[in-house]
Amino acid sequence: MATLEVRGLYKTFFPGTPDEVRALRGLDFSIEPGSFVVVIGTNGSGKSTTLNAVAGTFLADAGSITLAGHNITRWPEHRRARFIGRVFQDPLAGTSPTLSIAENFALASQRGQPRRLGLAVTRRRIAEFREHVRPLGMRLEDRLDNPIGSLSGGQRQALTLLMATFRKPELLLLDEHTAALDPRSAEQVIRLTDEIVRSQQLTTMMVTHSMAHAASLGDRLVMVHQGRLILDVTGAEKRRLRPHDLLEKFEELRRSDQLDETAAQLIRASYV
Amino acid sequence: MTLLLGSWTIGLILALLALGVFISFRIFSFADLTADGSLTLGAAVAAALIARGYNPWLATSLAVVAGSLAGGLSGLLQTRFQINGLLSGILVATALYSVNLHVMGRSNVPLLDARTVNSDLQGVVQKVSGKVESVQLLGSSVRVSDLVNLGAILLLVCLTAWLLHLFFKTSLGTAMRATGDNPRMIRALGVDVGRMITLGLMMSNGLVALSGAMLAQYQGFADVQMGIGMVVLGLASVILGQALVGRGGIGLSICGAIMGSLLFRLMIALALRAGLDPNDLKLITAVFVLLALVLPRAFQLRVKPAPAGRL
Ligand SMILES: Nc1ncnc2c1ncn2[C@@H]1O[C@H](COP(=O)(O)OP(=O)(O)OP(=O)(O)O)[C@@H](O)[C@H]1O
Ligand SMILES: [Mg+2]
């Protein structure tokens, strides 16, 4: 059974106003357990909206979402968090700045669980958190008491990723989670992502604007355009995929009229 | 000396108010105006029950319950019905004005010879110490009853602060702090932000009502007007406290709010003694809060964050 099943999803922002945006227009896909899906598409094509719809940032206008065997279509965001780990594009979005590293981890270790009156950070858990951050090689294991707001964006994003996967999520959602980092930190976080996803065999959706990452990471590549999937590459074909193959794919799509010329140009501009 | 004891006692009673305001203002970063109403509500419930001969300890507890219900209502308006936080506070505080009049039955309930928490404690101390009326302290004569009042409220404030500190170290309390810090993050970790804010406002207004109940018993009456300006007073204490202790951990911030309340009360006592017109008190408090909010911002250099790079 698929981990995630999205059927006929529609979402229109500001319906019936001049600002109306039809962000999702019959989105249809499913993801097998353990699959690492890379999501690409032009600016405004609906990638983030797709991830947000799955995470429950808003409720869809029509369609259904099934995750880990539960129909979560009408579930509020905090209830879906039981199954979903998330990392946002903004490195500041995933952590609580005035709380310490240890406290942030304590919050993440209870993702989707009821919060009770037990002590959040105990000595035993500190030891556990320490072992968890040590492999980062950022010396954060000695700074667990520091407020997380005192760390750099790259460090915070790496921690957010560790936090999102501390309790194994059924689905990991990464929305351009390295786009706001400097190139070195971005590479570091991407390597960490690949390591964690592989070792825990996490079902993952990762949005990226990097052609290199789109080609080298994951076992499946999908392209969102005007709120629908228009390209889906899996298996051996995905493994063989090189950046210039992607360009050919775009060309094919253009010829078959699924992409108009301006969109094709936009894609080339943002991925090459 | 008596003046000092009196202003400290009131300062400590209002430290409970400051702790309540601390939750809404420092944890959730907004001014919860419900407190103006719930302080009076606490005083009204306690006074009305005590005047009818109820046990003062029970009356005080019920005052706390009433205050947290008011806070809960304000939280629900804000989170379930998406009414702006300031507006929902004003709505509840306005409604409470009538509720308080109903609870008290008139605009002022005196508690002159009634059995209060304070008189209970004085009785206990007198049993232990015999019939001592006053003691020598730092060269001046001090009434034992004044000392008992001060000691009792000191104990209550310390206990409350300790419990509050413990709470903010629990899983629930940590989640509440993160709710104010980064709601998006805590929602993604499975916490119902609306419920967290409502719970926080219940705690906050429970504390404010406790402050009102203790104030009524200490000064010997409850008055329907006594809550006016209390939010601003609490804000002044919290802001002053932060200036004293800086941006430290949660424990330090809690101590800061208490110290802020004491210091502010002391400053007012001195100013009144120096000839300040009591009618100007609220004006001065408001100006103080305004300056405390505006001055740091005026001196801050605005640094633009570097544009986010795209790969
Ligand atoms: N919360 C929202 N309210 C209103 N409009 C929205 C909202 N979220 C997305 N949109 C609109 O929906 C469309 C799709 O946006 P989305 O963020 O999904 O694009 P994207 O593929 O993630 O683009 P990018 O590569 O720039 O991140 C855009 O036109 C956007 O303006
Ligand atoms: Mg996006």
Side-chain angles (χ1 to χ4, degrees):
Chain A
M1 192 188 58
T3 296
L4 176 67
E5 229 179 283
V6 172
R7 290 289 159 248
L9 217 56
Y10 283 84
K11 179 69 190 178
T12 303
F13 293 109
F14 313 116
T17 71
D19 296 327
E20 182 177 283
V21 182
R22 293 170 60 209
L24 299 182
R25 312 182 197 176
L27 193 67
D28 235 349
F29 65 92
S30 60
I31 299 182
E32 294 306 310
S35 177
F36 183 171
V37 183
V38 178
V39 183
I40 61 170
T42 49
N43 293 118
S45 57
K47 305 181 297 294
S48 299
T49 308
T50 302
L51 264 57
N52 288 337
V54 172
T57 311
F58 51 79
L59 295 182
D61 300 334
S64 74
I65 308 172
T66 311
L67 178 58
H70 298 264
N71 182 348
I72 61 166
T73 315
R74 310 304 301 171
W75 286 20
E77 182 175 5
H78 62 87
R79 194 167 163 211
R80 301 185 193 193
R82 212 173 107 203
F83 301 126
I84 297 177
R86 279 195 100 174
V87 183
F88 304 96
Q89 176 173 351
D90 179 1
L92 308 185
T95 47
S96 180
T98 64
L99 269 55
S100 69
I101 298 180
E103 284 171 329
N104 271 279
F105 263 94
L107 289 171
S109 71
Q110 288 193 306
R111 179 172 47 76
Q113 312 283 105
R115 315 280 163 160
R116 300 227 166 81
L117 290 176
L119 219 50
V121 178
T122 59
R123 213 167 284 155
R124 215 188 69 219
R125 312 200 73 186
I126 287 192
E128 197 183 341
F129 300 151
R130 192 170 284 141
E131 289 323 305
H132 214 75
V133 298
R134 199 188 298 280
L136 286 180
M138 294 175 171
R139 306 202 139 273
L140 296 178
E141 59 274 16
D142 306 324
R143 298 173 57 186
L144 289 184
D145 284 337
N146 293 24
I148 238 174
S150 66
L151 306 183
S152 74
Q155 288 173 325
R156 284 178 76 168
Q157 205 64 331
L159 286 178
T160 308
L161 185 59
L162 288 184
M163 282 165 55
T165 53
F166 193 90
R167 282 178 72 85
K168 186 179 175 184
E170 296 290 333
L171 179 66
L172 178 62
L173 297 178
L174 310 169
D175 190 354
E176 296 191 55
H177 65 308
T178 60
L181 305 180
D182 64 87
R184 238 192 89 228
S185 313
E187 259 340 286
Q188 211 173 0
V189 170
I190 278 292
R191 246 182 294 128
L192 183 67
T193 306
D194 198 35
E195 256 169 52
I196 291 177
V197 171
R198 278 174 197 271
S199 66
Q200 295 197 43
Q201 299 188 334
L202 297 175
T203 315
T204 304
M205 289 181 83
M206 181 181 89
V207 175
T208 181
H209 271 279
S210 152
M211 184 73 100
H213 295 158
S216 65
L217 293 175
D219 54 25
R220 181 175 170 195
L221 180 120
V222 300
M223 179 162 154
V224 178
H225 187 65
Q226 298 185 338
R228 260 191 303 254
L229 286 201
I230 59 164
L231 179 71
D232 194 340
V233 185
T234 52
E237 194 186 359
K238 167 69 179 88
R239 276 194 296 280
R240 279 199 311 270
L241 197 70
R242 294 292 167 267
H244 77 266
D245 302 327
L246 264 177
L247 286 182
E248 267 171 33
K249 287 271 177 209
F250 297 157
E251 195 56 29
E252 245 172 67
L253 285 169
R254 193 187 61 78
R255 274 199 299 270
S256 63
D257 272 350
Q258 296 202 50
L259 272 178
D260 56 39
E261 179 53 33
T262 43
Q265 247 160 27
L266 274 173
I267 290 171
R268 274 187 229 112
S270 66
Y271 280 94
V272 184
Chain B
M1 197 68 202
T2 307
L3 176 79
L4 201 62
L5 284 189
S7 66
W8 276 358
T9 307
I10 296 201
L12 283 168
I13 291 175
L14 294 176
L16 295 169
L17 163 75
L19 289 176
V21 171
F22 173 83
I23 296 179
S24 54
F25 187 65
R26 289 245 64 95
I27 303 289
F28 297 129
S29 311
F30 81 101
D32 173 31
L33 301 181
T34 317
D36 270 15
S38 53
L39 185 119
T40 318
L41 180 65
V45 169
L49 290 176
I50 288 171
R52 284 190 195 118
Y54 281 84
N55 180 314
W57 300 84
L58 175 71
T60 306
S61 312
L62 288 176
V64 174
V65 172
S68 28
L69 287 179
L73 180 63
S74 203
L76 283 181
L77 288 184
Q78 200 184 132
T79 58
R80 288 278 171 272
F81 301 103
Q82 260 90 55
I83 296 173
N84 168 292
L86 288 177
L87 183 57
S88 58
I90 293 171
L91 287 177
V92 175
T94 304
L96 280 178
Y97 191 88
S98 301
V99 172
N100 293 334
L101 275 172
H102 279 296
V103 170
M104 295 198 289
R106 57 204 140 136
S107 61
N108 189 299
V109 175
L111 294 174
L112 286 180
D113 294 314
R115 182 187 152 204
T116 62
V117 165
N118 298 60
S119 71
D120 269 14
L121 289 173
Q122 276 155 22
V124 172
V125 171
Q126 266 178 4
K127 231 179 248 160
V128 177
S129 66
K131 288 269 176 243
V132 188
E133 279 288 318
S134 63
V135 290
Q136 290 299 118
L137 200 71
L138 298 176
S140 58
S141 165
V142 177
R143 288 222 313 264
V144 170
S145 62
D146 286 343
L147 278 180
V148 172
N149 284 342
L150 180 64
I153 190 70
L154 181 65
L155 213 65
L156 179 63
V157 169
C158 288
L159 183 72
T160 308
W162 180 67
L163 284 176
L164 204 57
H165 179 243
L166 268 189
F167 171 77
F168 280 124
K169 292 286 174 192
T170 64
S171 298
L172 184 65
T174 308
M176 187 179 285
R177 279 192 288 151
T179 301
D181 223 14
N182 187 348
R184 190 171 171 205
M185 166 257 199
I186 200 67
R187 207 179 285 123
L189 290 177
V191 172
D192 184 343
V193 166
R195 232 161 80 183
M196 221 31 104
I197 293 175
T198 306
L199 178 65
L201 290 185
M202 289 183 75
M203 291 172 51
S204 164
N205 285 285
L207 284 174
V208 174
L210 177 61
S211 180
M214 296 310 290
L215 191 59
Q217 294 176 70
Y218 174 72
Q219 60 186 16
F221 65 88
D223 189 282
V224 75
Q225 306 272 5
M226 69 195 280
I228 294 174
M230 282 302 182
V231 175
V232 178
L233 186 62
L235 286 178
S237 307
V238 171
I239 292 171
L240 195 58
Q242 202 195 338
L244 288 176
V245 301
R247 277 192 179 271
I250 187 80
L252 207 58
S253 305
I254 289 175
C255 290
I258 296 170
M259 282 155 56
S261 176
L262 280 172
L263 186 60
F264 200 77
R265 191 46 44 179
L266 205 62
M267 281 160 48
I268 287 177
L270 290 178
L272 286 174
R273 213 175 181 195
L276 174 85
D277 182 350
N279 288 335
D280 290 338
L281 260 186
K282 297 221 191 288
L283 175 65
I284 288 172
T285 310
V287 169
F288 173 83
V289 170
L290 182 70
L291 289 181
L293 290 177
V294 171
L295 285 185
R297 225 172 285 171
F299 287 115
Q300 220 168 45
L301 286 176
R302 293 200 170 250
V303 188
K304 271 201 182 139
R310 162 147 281 181
L311 288 179

